[in-house]
Amino acid sequence: MKKTLLLLVLILSLFCPSLFAQAKAETIRIGMDKGDDAVVLNPYTATDSNSVIIMQNLYDGLFSYNGETSEASFALAVGQDVSDDGLTWTFILRDASFSDGTAITSETFAESWNYLVQGPLASNLDFVQRLDDGTLSLETPDSKTLVVHLAHPVAYLPSLLCQPCLAAIKDTSSYSGAYVLKEQTDSHVLLSKNPKYWGTVNNDKVEILLGPDFDFSAAFAEGEIQWSMAAVEDASDYMVLSKLYATTFFYFSAEAGAYSNEYVRKALISLIPWDIVRYIQGTLMETSSLVPESSAVAPVENGALDLLAKAGYPYGDGLPMINMGITRGAQNAAVAELIAEIWSKTLGVTVTLNTVPLTVYASNPKENPFDFCTITWIGDYFDPMAFLSLFESSGSFNLANYSNEEYDELLSLAQNADSVTRSSLLLQAEQMLLDSGVVIPMSTAFATNFVRNDLIEGWQTNPLDIHPFKDLKLIITI
């Protein structure tokens, strides 16, 4: 029998060498644009998309995103119970351990969450009730039971808990997810299957190759990389374009002064030919709403001079310098220059353009030095609050430093309302935000991926553009 098997192997190796080349290729390779921010695989601090994408595969939380639907699925939790008032959630944990063999317990989450609230991503735990000493209202009656007391009902809590910063974290060298970090350089990140992982992992290794020096097009054509988030040439047959639960928008972020004045904001907005801006940006799907698929509509403003007069700045006299923050890219630069030129020539106001990494102004809104910015925001979960909470005055992450008691009240009332009433209240809040001129929606965002579906399986489109590495599997053909 052994001789027969050996003979079969020899025959296959002679006549089907590609089969053995693929069989040896245990590593899934992914191309990724380097981006403005360095990859920092620290779930307590990192916010850039590249880092988050990788960390979603290194750290598991109570829930994780489903690669087909983007909905929250049980991960380290295997069950939950919610009190009638929606304020107490009890989670039952599965038997699992970190990559170093240390057990993952309810105390793991209590410790890591209480550590998180001391850092820059504290806003991710705004939903948890605080005790008098500033710690979170959590209970750990036993190693497999975590009780979370909320500050207000959060129907979409499982989706919130998919974020890497809320995962089971011990330190940055022990991993609770499907992979462990084997190597990281400026040009690549190598992940290896976590031998202690509780679930199924369809490949042994994943290598993320970072641009700009790497030739993604050649590697993709040769099958050396099977999935590229970076653009590749002459690969239209493998291009996958998918609509995201995301919106690109401009926003004013001044906490005080002229540009925190609603009339001034509306006056400035009315001077810009937004259709031309969208054209320059290469907009695929224009939108007038902040929340994707919402019926809210940003108003078309007119009468700039009348609005400025109401604000106490006739003809723009006395308006201070406008600091504009934009991310890198020729299209962004062209748009910023157009807006700056119009405001400067029409009102005589000085506009400074600052091309900076997104994290400079988006990660710490309170420290944002810019008055006017642009961003593409991808919702962390399927709910209008993924966008509307960005402008809540009591939130730790108030993107525009916006403050409106009526807006806050609508969001608060929505938390305790039935689904129909809740939808109505959130729509009112969004319309109020748009009417204030704080946000100018531009387009619904799309994700562009290049996928060698002849070489890998398990990659599926979904609204959050989340593709768990563990689902990917090399196709072996004979």
Side-chain angles (χ1 to χ4, degrees), residues 245-249 290 292 362 375-380 386-387 390 397 399 445:
Y245 191 63
T247 305
T248 297
F249 58 89
L290 174 65
I375 193 173
T376 296
W377 188 262
I378 301 175
D380 294 320
F387 295 85
L390 300 176
F397 188 84
L399 191 62

Side-chain angles (χ1 to χ4, degrees), residues 124-341:
N124 289 284
L125 284 163
D126 282 351
F127 60 87
V128 182
Q129 191 179 108
R130 297 295 198 276
L131 300 176
D132 292 339
D133 62 0
T135 59
L136 301 170
S137 184
L138 305 171
E139 295 180 56
T140 55
D142 59 60
S143 64
K144 297 301 176 187
T145 306
L146 176 67
V147 182
V148 183
H149 298 284
L150 306 188
H152 51 76
V154 183
Y156 47 90
L157 182 59
S159 292
L160 283 178
L161 297 178
C162 293
Q163 300 174 83
C165 63
L166 298 178
I169 304 167
K170 176 173 172 273
D171 52 53
T172 55
S173 60
S174 301
Y175 304 96
S176 53
Y179 299 89
V180 299
L181 177 65
K182 297 298 289 186
E183 184 176 309
Q184 180 180 2
T185 69
D186 288 340
S187 60
H188 85 136
V189 176
L190 181 63
L191 310 182
S192 180
K193 180 179 177 179
N194 181 355
K196 300 292 184 179
Y197 189 59
W198 59 269
T200 301
V201 183
N202 288 326
N203 52 76
D204 292 328
K205 295 179 182 179
V206 173
E207 184 179 20
I208 299 97
L209 299 162
L210 302 168
D213 297 331
F214 189 80
D215 188 345
F216 292 115
S217 297
F220 189 82
E222 293 297 323
E224 293 174 9
I225 59 175
Q226 298 84 35
W227 163 27
S228 180
M229 300 177 220
V232 298
E233 299 176 357
D234 302 321
S236 58
D237 290 345
Y238 296 107
M239 184 173 72
V240 181
L241 191 66
S242 55
K243 187 177 178 181
L244 291 174
Y245 191 63
T247 305
T248 297
F249 58 89
F250 285 89
Y251 65 97
F252 287 93
S253 56
E255 191 170 5
Y259 303 113
S260 67
N261 185 299
E262 181 174 329
Y263 292 128
V264 173
R265 294 195 299 262
K266 290 180 177 180
L268 293 175
I269 290 171
S270 71
L271 294 172
I272 305 302
W274 295 107
D275 55 337
I276 296 177
V277 169
R278 291 187 175 96
Y279 176 79
I280 295 173
Q281 285 185 326
T283 297
L284 291 175
M285 182 171 286
E286 178 182 334
T287 186
S288 293
S289 64
L290 174 65
V291 178
E293 308 298 334
S294 168
S295 60
V297 178
V300 177
E301 300 293 347
N302 294 297
L305 296 182
D306 289 339
L307 291 166
L308 287 171
K310 287 181 180 179
Y313 299 95
Y315 302 100
D317 290 344
L319 284 177
M321 180 173 64
I322 301 175
N323 292 310
M324 189 187 306
I326 60 172
T327 52
R328 295 184 178 92
Q331 292 172 319
N332 288 337
V335 166
E337 288 168 5
L338 172 64
I339 293 174
E341 183 179 8

Side-chain angles (χ1 to χ4, degrees), residues 9-10 20 50 88 97 132 168 191 194 269-270 331 346 414 421 429 442 451:
V9 169
L10 290 172
F20 283 85
N50 285 352
T88 302
S97 64
D132 292 339
L191 310 182
N194 181 355
I269 290 171
S270 71
Q331 292 172 319
T346 307
T421 304
M442 288 286 101
V451 184

